[in-house]
């Protein structure tokens, strides 16, 4: 059984959004086309409270894309984005969400960021997605969405480590790509056994 996992297809990661990814909006129609050839569609939604610890604005003197050391390890700081209930956190209007059977919200713990669809960035706290997919009998995951080098890559790597067969559709992903993050993420996904298509 095959599940399409669509990572963070939200306004704030599209042009005009708070953490805009170049051409992020252009992937929605190809993602819609993939839905009908999967048994199940799951969406993730970055869903932060105001003042989240991954926001540079929560760290006096820091600016976006600087690093800080969190109790769980190094963390990139971001502009305020995907605030719970905001228009920026909403799914992009071009995405057909009618076929989604589940929406996994993540990044809700004020103290811990959550790139992956499976684990918070402490690599220990689970979102529940793995259990859901196993209970419904999913073995194969196709992933697409935003951003390739952060939430897509971390989700794909965790999915593979959890025993799912994971394929990332790069044509339906877009990257933030700073400081070589895209090249590194592609390498890490390959090393983790993720199929890059
Ligand atoms: C993401 C940075 C912060 C992503 C989410 O969806 O890739 N990146 N929050
Ligand atoms: Zn976020």
């Amino acid at each position: 059984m095959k599940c399409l996992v669509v990572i963070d297809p939200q306004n704030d990661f599209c042009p005009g959004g708070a953490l805009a990814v170049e051409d992020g909006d252009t992937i929605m129609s190809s993602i819609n086309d993939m839905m009908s050839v999967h048994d199940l569609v799951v969406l993730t939604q970055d869903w932060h409270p105001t003042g989240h610890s991954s926001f540079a604005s929560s760290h006096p003197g820091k600016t976006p894309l600087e690093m800080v050391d969190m109790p769980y390890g190094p963390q990139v700081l971001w502009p305020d984005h995907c605030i719970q209930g905001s228009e920026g956190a909403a799914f992009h209007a071009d995405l057909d969400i009618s076929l989604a059977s589940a929406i996994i919200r993540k990044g809700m713990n004020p103290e811990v960021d959550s790139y992956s669809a499976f684990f918070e960035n402490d690599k220990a706290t689970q979102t529940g997605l793995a259990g859901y997919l196993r209970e419904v009998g999913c073995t194969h995951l196709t992933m697409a969405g935003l951003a390739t080098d952060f939430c897509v890559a971390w989700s794909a790597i965790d999915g593979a480590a959890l025993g799912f067969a994971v394929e990332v559709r790069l044509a339906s992903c877009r990257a933030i790509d700073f400081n070589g993050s895209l090249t590194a993420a592609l390498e890490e996904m390959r090393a983790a056994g993720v199929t890059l298509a």
Side-chain angles (χ1 to χ4, degrees):
M1 183 147 152
K2 274 180 67 156
C3 179
L4 177 64
V5 183
V6 187
I7 306 294
D8 300 358
Q10 295 167 260
N11 291 327
D12 269 344
F13 300 120
C14 291
L19 210 176
V21 179
E22 196 178 342
D23 290 334
D25 57 328
T26 63
I27 64 173
M28 305 301 164
S29 77
S30 66
I31 292 175
N32 291 341
D33 292 342
M34 281 191 269
M35 291 183 182
S36 55
V37 297
H38 286 81
D39 303 297
L40 195 73
V41 177
V42 171
L43 313 177
T44 69
Q45 192 171 26
D46 213 35
W47 196 250
H48 298 305
T50 54
H52 191 261
S53 57
S54 74
F55 298 166
S57 62
S58 302
H59 302 264
K62 296 282 186 190
T63 54
L65 303 185
E66 283 189 73
M67 304 286 302
V68 287
D69 283 314
M70 297 291 207
Y72 54 84
Q75 168 72 46
V76 183
L77 295 177
W78 304 106
D80 292 21
H81 65 280
C82 296
I83 303 284
Q84 296 170 1
S86 68
E87 193 49 36
F91 293 117
H92 191 276
D94 290 350
L95 187 77
D96 177 8
I97 63 170
S98 64
L99 290 177
S101 61
I103 297 169
I104 298 290
R105 287 179 168 162
K106 59 188 183 63
M108 299 174 70
N109 180 339
E111 307 300 331
V112 185
D113 204 4
S114 189
Y115 295 153
S116 166
F118 295 101
F119 291 96
E120 295 186 355
N121 287 10
D122 62 7
K123 312 249 188 208
T125 310
Q126 297 220 43
T127 62
L129 178 59
Y132 173 69
L133 292 173
R134 286 181 185 133
E135 283 202 2
V136 298
C138 259
T139 50
H140 288 67
L141 310 180
T142 306
M143 293 194 185
L146 304 170
T148 320
D149 40 349
F150 288 91
C151 291
V152 175
W154 286 50
S155 299
I157 291 164
D158 284 347
L162 287 163
F164 297 98
V166 182
E167 177 177 315
V168 171
R169 293 288 175 85
L170 291 174
S172 297
C173 298
R174 291 293 181 275
I176 295 171
D177 197 12
F178 94 100
N179 274 349
S181 57
L182 177 58
T183 307
L186 293 173
E187 199 44 57
E188 284 163 28
M189 285 193 277
R190 261 186 220 107
V194 172
T195 302
L196 300 179

